[in-house]
Amino acid sequence: VHVLVIVSGATSLFLDTSWGRGEDGSPVIIFPEFPSFCEIGDQEFRNVLTYLTSIPSLSAAGVGFIVVIDRRKDRWTCLKGTLLRISGWFPANLRLVLVLRPSAILQRTLSDVFFKLTRDDFKVPVIMLSSLTDLHSYIERSQLTQELGGTQYYCHKTWISHRTDLESFAALVKRMAERLQVFGRELAETELPNNLLTASNLLTAQTSRKDSFKEELTGALSQGRKLLEHIREPVRRDPDSCLNPDQLENLATVHRLLSQLNESSTAFDEFWIQHQNKLDLCFKLCQFEHNFQQQATATMNAFSDIGISPAQTEHLLQELTNHEKKACVLDRVRSVIAEGQSLIDSSQNVDDSVAVKCSELQRVRENLTQRLKDKRTMLTQAMELYKRLEMVCKWCDDGIYMLASQPLDKCQSQEGAESALSELECYLETANEKQQWEISTVWLEYENILNNELRHAFEKKASLQEMFERRRVSLKKLAAKQTRPIQPVAPRPESLSSPGIYLSNICISEDSDSRVSCKQVNSDQVDRSSRNPSVSEEEETLAVLRRHVMNELLETERAYVEELMCVLQGYAAEMDNPSMTPLIPAALQNKKDVLFGNMQEIYNFHKRIFLKELETYTDCPELVGRCFLDWMGELQIYEKYCHNKPRSESLWRQCSDCAFFQECQKKLEHKLGLDSYLLKPVQRITKYQLLLKEMIKYSKGRECSVELQAALSSILGILKAVNDSMHLIAITGYEGNLGVLGRLLMQGSFSVWAEHKRGHVKVMELARFKPMQRHLFLHEKALLFCKRREESGEGYEKAPSYSFKQELSMAAIGITEHAKGDSKKFEIWSRSRDEVYTVQVSTKEAKTIWVTEIQKLLTGQLETCKGMDLWFVDK
C-alpha cells in the first residue's frame, strides 16, 4: 500500500503505466517527458520500479521488459542519468531500452557523440531513436499511448483507481484466507464438552463466529464482482472497444482472486458441516444425557418408596410395569447411541469424544435398566411382606377390639373372669395358626426392604402379645381369688375406629408407662403387681384408642395430600398444556385461579409442613393439640378457599360437560368428577374438629386435654369465621366498605319489631304487631340489619343472599337487656331513643350470648371515650 501511494504520486510525473506489449509480449514501461526527473530520490525511484515490475504475470515478466524513454525535449546529461539509474536499479529482466533522443540540434549531436563513448557503461541494450516512426518499427502503435503516436487510450487516474481496488481486494482475500485457516484450526482442535450448558454455549458461540465469517466472505465476493464490473466499464460503454493488456491482466487477477475466495469458502463450508454435525451430536448427547439423568432420577425417586400399604405398593408396582412397557427413555437412548455410531462410521474426521459420549450413555442406560429390575424385585418382595403384615394387622386389630369389648365390671366375679380368660386364651392360640413365621426369619428374608417403620410394626405386634399376657395374668388372679369390687370404666366396642389393613394401624405403645394415667403413681414407687389391674388395663385401652384416632388423622392427611396433588397435576397443570388447549372451552380459559382458588397454597402447606409436623406426634398422640395450635395461623388459608368456592362451583357447572374435564378424568382413572375433589378442602377443615373431639374423649383427666381443647376451640373458631364470612359476602345493596366495620363477631336471623317515635302512630302500632324477619350482622363498629332471601339453584347458588336494610353505629346505640312481655327479647335503641328495635331470639341462651357480646362492645367503647355521654346501658 505504501509503494502504491508512491506510485500514485510519482508515476503521474515520470511514468506511463499503460502496459502495452512488444511483438513477443514483453511488457512496455514508458518514461515520458519530465524535466525534473533528476530530482526524484533514489529510494523512491527504486520503489516505483519494484512495484511496476511486480504487476505483470510471471509469464509476461519472464519474457523481459521493454523500457521506452522519451527525451526529445531534454538534455543529454539528464538522459545519461536516467539510463544509468535504469541499468543499475532495474529489478527485473530488462530486454531493451528504446530512447527517443533530444530533438534540438546541439543536444542531438551531443547525444550521438557521448552515447557512442559511454554505451558500455549502461550494461543494458540501448537503442537511440530519432523519431516516432523509428519507435513504431519496434512497438506497434496499438500498444502505445497517444503521446507516442499510438492509438491506446490511457488515464492515469483510472489506472491508479484500478490498482488501489485490486491491491485492496488482494489483501482482503489474503487476510480472509489466513483467518479461515486459523478458525478452522481452532474448530478442529475444539474439545467437546461434557455438560449441557457448556455444549450449548460452545455451539452458539462457534455458530455465531461462523455466521460472522460467512458475512465477511459474502462481502468480499461482492467487492470482487464490483471490481470486475469497474474494469469492464470501457467495454460496457463502447461495445466496439477492447481492453488493453493491462486491463486484461487486472481482469485475470480479479478472476483468480475470486476463484481462490470461492474455493476457500466452499472448503470451509464442507468442513463446517462436518464440525457442526459433530457439535450437534455432542449437544444432543449432552442434552439427552441431562434429560435422561433427570428422568432416571425422577423415575427412581418415584419408585424409591415401597409404599405404606398393600394398595400403594401395588400401585407403585403397576406404575413401574407401565413405565417399563413404554420404555420411551431407553428407546431414545438407543436411538441417540445409534446416531452417534452412524456419525463415527460415516466420517473419519469425528474425534474419539463422540465415541466416549456414546459409551457413557450406554453405561447409564444399562445402569438404569438394572436399577429398574432391582426395584421390581424389591416391590414384589414388599407385596409379599404386606400380605403377611395384613394378617398381623387383622389379628392385632381383632385382639384390641376383643380386649375393649370385654366387660370389666363382669370380670370382678370369678365366673366372669374365667369366661374372659377362656376367650383370651382361645384368641392367643390363633396367633400360631395364622402366623407361621418368626420375626427373626422375616428380618433376614426381607432385610433389603425392612425400614424402621416396618420393623416397628413387628415390634408392636410383640407389645400387643405382652399386653395380652398381662391381661391373662390379671384374669387368672381374679378367677382364682375374688378381689374387692371396683367401679371400672370400659369403652364401648362401637366407639373404636374400624380396623384397617394399613401398617400404621398397629399402634401399641412400646413403653407401658405411656399408658399410665397422670393420676396414677409412678411405677418406680409401686410394684406393677400391686396396681388395680382394671385401672391399668383401662388406661392401656384408652392409649390404644388415642393411637387409633392419631392413625386415622395421619392416614386421612396423607390421602388428602395425595388427592390434592392429583387434582393439581391432573387438572390444573393440564390447563397450561398446549396439547390440551383445543379441549378447553372459552368460558374456562384463563380461569384456573377461579376454578381451583388457592388449592396450590393449601397443598404446599400440608405437603411441606403440616403433614411432617403431625407425623412427629405419632408416638405421643395426646400432644397433637400443640401441632394445631402452632400452625393455627396458617390454617386461616381455608377462609380464602371457602370464599372462592361459590365462584368455583358456578364455573364448574358451566363447563362440567366439556371434553377437557372428561379427558383429564380418563387419564387419572378417577371414578368421581372434579367437583368431588374440589370439595375436599372444605371437608378436611371440618374433619379436624371431629378428630380432635375423639382425641379429647380418650384423653380426659390428662394434662394434654387442655391443649386439645384449645386446639378444638381454635378450629371451631376458623369454621365459625368461614361460616360468618360466607354469609357476609352474600350481602347485597350495601354501598360502603364492610371492611371498615371491623371484625364480624356474630350473625343470625331473628324477629324484629321497629318503633319510630317521631313517625306516624299507625306505622308504629303496625310495627308492634307485625315483626320483620331480619338477619343481623354484629361487627365491632356497627350492627347491620338485612333481609334474608332464599335463592333457587344448586349447590352454592342455592345459598341465601341478604339484602341490606339498615346500619346502626355501635357508637350511637344502647341496649336494654330485658324487654317487656318476653324473656327472650331485648331492645336496641338509638341515643335519643327515637328508634327502638326489639329483637326476639329463639332461646334464652342465644339471647344471653348476644346481649353479653353487645354489652362487651359498649363497655369497651366507654373505656375509650370516658367523659362522653354517647350511649347508655339499661338493665
Side-chain angles (χ1 to χ4, degrees):
V1 176
H2 176 66
V3 172
L4 188 57
V5 172
I6 295 175
V7 171
S8 65
T11 57
S12 63
L13 300 176
F14 65 87
L15 285 177
D16 184 347
T17 51
S18 59
W19 293 116
R21 293 290 188 271
E23 292 181 357
D24 54 358
S26 301
V28 178
I29 299 177
I30 300 173
F31 286 79
E33 288 282 357
F34 186 64
S36 303
F37 180 80
C38 295
E39 299 176 2
I40 298 174
D42 294 342
Q43 187 61 43
E44 185 178 4
F45 184 72
R46 290 180 182 179
N47 291 340
V48 172
L49 287 181
T50 301
Y51 176 74
L52 293 178
T53 54
S54 67
I55 292 176
S57 63
L58 293 177
S59 59
V63 175
F65 287 86
I66 297 177
V67 175
V68 177
I69 302 176
D70 184 5
R71 288 294 181 266
R72 285 175 293 176
K73 297 180 181 180
D74 208 345
R75 302 188 307 273
W76 161 249
T77 55
C78 291
L79 174 60
K80 179 181 178 182
T82 301
L83 290 173
L84 290 174
R85 277 188 171 188
I86 292 174
S87 63
W89 298 336
F90 200 84
N93 179 22
L94 183 58
R95 288 188 59 241
L96 181 64
V97 178
L98 300 175
V99 180
L100 287 172
R101 61 187 175 180
S103 58
I105 297 175
L106 178 59
Q107 295 298 326
R108 183 173 184 176
T109 302
L110 292 175
S111 299
D112 291 339
V113 174
F114 287 111
F115 177 72
K116 292 178 181 179
L117 295 175
T118 59
R119 174 180 294 183
D120 296 336
D121 297 337
F122 302 133
K123 302 177 183 180
V124 293
V126 179
I127 299 177
M128 301 295 287
L129 302 176
S130 300
S131 63
L132 294 176
T133 304
D134 296 340
L135 177 63
H136 296 162
S137 63
Y138 287 94
I139 302 174
E140 294 183 2
R141 294 179 60 192
S142 61
Q143 301 299 317
L144 296 173
T145 60
Q146 295 174 359
E147 288 80 2
L148 297 178
T151 60
Q152 188 181 108
Y153 172 78
Y154 174 74
C155 176
H156 189 67
K157 183 177 181 181
T158 301
W159 184 86
I160 290 295
S161 175
H162 285 181
R163 291 307 307 171
T164 302
D165 292 344
L166 187 60
E167 294 293 339
S168 176
F169 181 60
L172 176 62
V173 171
K174 181 181 179 181
R175 187 168 60 252
M176 290 296 299
E178 292 175 350
R179 291 179 62 191
L180 284 175
Q181 185 177 8
V182 172
F183 185 44
R185 190 184 310 114
E186 290 180 4
L187 295 181
E189 295 174 356
T190 298
E191 183 177 353
L192 296 182
N194 293 320
N195 62 77
L196 178 61
L197 180 61
T198 307
S200 176
N201 292 339
L202 179 65
L203 181 61
T204 302
Q206 292 191 347
T207 302
S208 177
R209 289 186 62 188
K210 185 269 298 183
D211 293 340
S212 177
F213 273 115
K214 290 298 293 182
E215 289 180 3
E216 293 184 22
L217 282 172
T218 303
L221 290 172
S222 176
Q223 181 178 340
R225 296 187 187 99
K226 288 181 180 179
L227 182 57
L228 284 178
E229 294 176 0
H230 191 41
I231 295 173
R232 294 193 185 105
E233 181 67 18
V235 178
R236 189 183 64 81
R237 289 198 307 263
D238 184 9
D240 295 333
S241 65
C242 59
L243 299 178
N244 59 42
D246 179 50
Q247 292 170 330
L248 292 173
E249 189 77 30
N250 290 343
L251 202 65
T253 301
V254 175
H255 276 298
R256 176 174 53 80
L257 293 174
L258 284 174
S259 177
Q260 292 178 4
L261 204 58
N262 281 318
E263 290 175 0
S264 298
S265 178
T266 302
F268 178 75
D269 287 342
E270 293 175 355
F271 172 76
W272 173 256
I273 290 174
Q274 294 181 353
H275 181 73
Q276 187 179 35
N277 289 338
K278 185 170 68 173
L279 281 182
D280 287 340
L281 180 60
C282 173
F283 178 74
K284 288 180 181 178
L285 287 169
C286 290
Q287 184 179 42
F288 185 76
E289 184 176 4
H290 175 75
N291 296 337
F292 176 75
Q293 291 285 8
Q294 280 190 333
Q295 188 162 357
T297 302
T299 300
M300 298 315 299
N301 288 339
F303 302 116
S304 61
D305 194 6
I306 60 173
I308 60 173
S309 68
Q312 187 176 2
T313 304
E314 185 177 3
H315 177 69
L316 290 174
L317 190 59
Q318 184 61 41
E319 283 188 350
L320 182 61
T321 302
N322 296 337
H323 186 82
E324 291 175 336
K325 286 181 179 179
K326 292 178 181 178
C328 54
V329 177
L330 300 180
D331 289 342
R332 287 179 60 196
V333 174
R334 284 192 291 267
S335 175
V336 173
I337 293 175
E339 183 180 350
Q341 191 61 46
S342 174
L343 181 62
I344 295 172
D345 296 339
S346 62
S347 177
Q348 298 179 352
N349 297 325
V350 178
D351 55 24
D352 296 337
S353 59
V354 176
V356 172
K357 285 284 185 184
C358 292
S359 300
E360 184 177 352
L361 205 56
Q362 178 66 26
R363 178 185 56 77
V364 174
R365 173 182 173 272
E366 293 173 355
N367 183 34
L368 178 61
T369 303
Q370 184 59 43
R371 290 177 65 188
L372 290 175
K373 187 180 298 183
D374 295 342
K375 182 56 62 175
R376 167 172 288 279
T377 302
M378 184 178 294
L379 288 174
T380 303
Q381 288 181 343
M383 280 296 298
E384 297 176 356
L385 178 61
Y386 276 121
K387 289 179 181 178
R388 295 188 174 187
L389 289 178
E390 185 176 352
M391 299 169 57
V392 176
C393 293
K394 183 68 167 59
W395 186 81
C396 292
D397 287 341
D398 291 346
I400 294 171
Y401 191 79
M402 181 204 66
L403 291 179
S405 301
Q406 287 183 341
L408 298 183
D409 54 345
K410 295 183 179 180
C411 291
Q412 304 306 311
S413 65
Q414 185 174 5
E415 182 181 355
E418 290 176 350
S419 175
L421 179 61
S422 175
E423 181 183 11
L424 179 59
E425 290 178 341
C426 290
Y427 187 78
L428 288 174
E429 291 177 0
T430 62
N432 296 328
E433 296 176 2
K434 296 183 178 180
Q435 304 169 37
Q436 301 295 332
W437 38 278
E438 295 293 335
I439 292 179
S440 58
T441 305
V442 173
W443 285 7
L444 182 62
E445 184 177 354
Y446 298 98
E447 181 179 5
N448 293 331
I449 62 174
L450 271 178
N451 51 33
N452 292 333
E453 184 178 356
L454 297 179
R455 294 175 186 270
H456 194 51
F458 283 103
E459 292 169 357
K460 288 182 177 179
K461 181 256 183 184
S463 297
L464 181 62
Q465 287 181 314
E466 180 185 350
M467 181 192 225
F468 287 160
E469 182 62 25
R470 286 199 303 272
R471 173 66 68 89
R472 189 171 66 86
V473 171
S474 299
L475 291 175
K476 281 185 176 181
K477 291 179 180 180
L478 292 172
K481 180 181 179 181
Q482 287 296 304
T483 61
R484 180 171 56 88
I486 62 173
Q487 182 64 33
V489 181
R492 292 175 298 174
E494 58 270 18
S495 65
L496 292 171
S497 300
S498 299
I501 62 173
Y502 294 106
L503 289 179
S504 54
N505 278 346
I506 308 177
C507 295
I508 307 305
S509 174
E510 296 176 291
D511 185 4
S512 60
D513 290 338
S514 64
R515 307 185 196 103
V516 180
S517 171
C518 59
K519 295 181 180 180
Q520 290 178 285
V521 183
N522 188 284
S523 60
D524 294 336
Q525 300 173 353
V526 181
D527 185 78
R528 182 185 300 269
S529 61
S530 64
R531 298 179 187 173
N532 188 322
S534 298
V535 176
S536 177
E537 291 162 7
E538 174 192 349
E539 180 57 31
E540 289 177 354
T541 304
L542 290 176
V544 170
L545 295 174
R546 286 195 297 271
R547 290 185 179 277
H548 270 284
V549 176
M550 189 65 193
N551 291 335
E552 184 177 358
L553 173 60
L554 289 174
E555 292 303 326
T556 54
E557 185 74 13
R558 294 187 185 106
Y560 174 58
V561 169
E562 187 173 350
E563 288 169 342
L564 292 183
M565 181 186 67
C566 288
V567 172
L568 292 172
Q569 292 182 353
Y571 287 95
E574 289 297 304
M575 292 183 71
D576 299 325
N577 185 355
S579 63
M580 297 289 283
T581 301
L583 302 180
I584 302 177
L588 188 60
Q589 292 180 358
N590 302 320
K591 295 291 183 62
K592 184 166 69 171
D593 292 340
V594 176
L595 185 61
F596 298 98
N598 63 329
M599 182 180 286
Q600 182 70 52
E601 182 183 9
I602 293 174
Y603 169 74
N604 292 339
F605 168 67
H606 284 270
K607 173 68 174 178
R608 300 173 183 174
I609 300 175
F610 200 59
L611 176 57
K612 295 179 181 178
E613 290 293 320
L614 287 176
E615 288 174 341
T616 61
Y617 293 90
T618 302
D619 294 328
C620 47
E622 64 275 5
L623 302 180
V624 75
R626 297 177 185 176
C627 183
F628 283 92
L629 292 175
D630 290 342
W631 298 100
M632 194 57 62
E634 283 69 15
L635 289 171
Q636 306 289 336
I637 57 178
Y638 280 90
E639 292 187 30
K640 182 178 179 181
Y641 186 85
C642 293
H643 288 171
N644 181 71
K645 197 65 177 71
R647 299 173 60 209
S648 173
E649 188 163 307
S650 176
L651 180 62
W652 161 256
R653 282 195 303 273
Q654 185 179 355
C655 308
S656 59
D657 295 332
C658 71
F660 172 76
F661 289 133
Q662 295 175 2
E663 181 66 20
C664 292
Q665 183 175 348
K666 181 179 178 182
K667 288 182 179 179
L668 293 172
E669 299 180 356
H670 283 175
K671 295 181 180 179
L672 300 177
L674 174 61
D675 56 331
S676 299
Y677 292 92
L678 292 176
L679 195 59
K680 293 293 182 180
V682 180
Q683 295 172 338
R684 188 59 186 167
I685 192 64
T686 307
K687 178 73 172 178
Y688 287 139
Q689 57 105 3
L690 299 176
L691 293 171
L692 286 172
K693 287 179 180 179
E694 285 292 304
M695 188 66 75
I696 291 172
K697 183 170 67 174
Y698 301 133
S699 304
K700 289 181 180 180
R702 301 178 66 88
E703 294 179 1
C704 59
S705 61
V706 177
E707 290 180 340
L708 289 170
Q709 190 62 51
L712 175 60
S713 298
S714 299
I715 289 292
L716 292 176
I718 291 178
L719 294 176
K720 179 182 180 300
V722 170
N723 182 59
D724 289 346
S725 60
M726 293 297 290
H727 286 277
L728 197 61
I729 62 176
I731 295 177
T732 60
Y734 184 77
E735 297 181 356
N737 182 4
L738 292 173
V740 302
L741 302 182
R743 186 165 51 93
L744 177 63
L745 303 176
M746 303 183 70
Q747 53 89 20
S749 295
F750 309 105
S751 297
V752 178
W753 288 263
E755 293 185 28
H756 303 281
K757 293 185 178 180
R758 293 184 180 179
H760 296 290
V761 176
K762 290 184 179 181
V763 174
M764 180 187 67
E765 291 178 350
L766 181 61
R768 285 182 180 276
F769 293 99
K770 187 176 181 181
M772 300 177 293
Q773 297 301 316
R774 291 289 183 263
H775 199 90
L776 274 59
F777 293 90
L778 178 61
H779 292 263
E780 290 177 321
K781 297 182 180 180
L783 178 64
L784 301 185
F785 290 80
C786 299
K787 184 175 182 180
R788 180 187 177 100
R789 299 184 185 278
E790 296 291 343
E791 300 291 343
S792 59
E794 298 179 357
Y796 281 91
E797 289 188 355
K798 194 175 180 180
S801 63
Y802 302 96
S803 299
F804 171 73
K805 294 300 180 182
Q806 191 169 3
E807 176 184 359
L808 296 179
S809 174
M810 297 302 294
I813 69 169
I815 183 172
T816 301
E817 182 176 354
H818 302 292
K820 297 179 181 180
D822 194 337
S823 60
K824 293 184 290 185
K825 292 181 180 179
F826 64 92
E827 292 181 350
I828 299 173
W829 36 269
S830 63
R831 182 177 57 178
S832 58
R833 294 184 182 268
D834 291 339
E835 297 179 1
V836 179
Y837 298 90
T838 303
V839 181
Q840 185 181 46
V841 187
S842 58
T843 64
K844 292 181 180 180
E845 291 77 12
K847 170 194 167 181
T848 301
I849 295 174
W850 272 81
V851 170
T852 302
E853 194 65 36
I854 294 175
Q855 288 177 343
K856 189 185 302 182
L857 285 175
L858 299 181
T859 303
Q861 291 180 2
L862 179 61
E863 294 177 353
T864 57
C865 304
K866 289 182 178 180
M868 299 180 63
D869 186 14
L870 297 179
W871 44 264
F872 307 91
V873 179
D874 290 351
K875 289 291 184 182

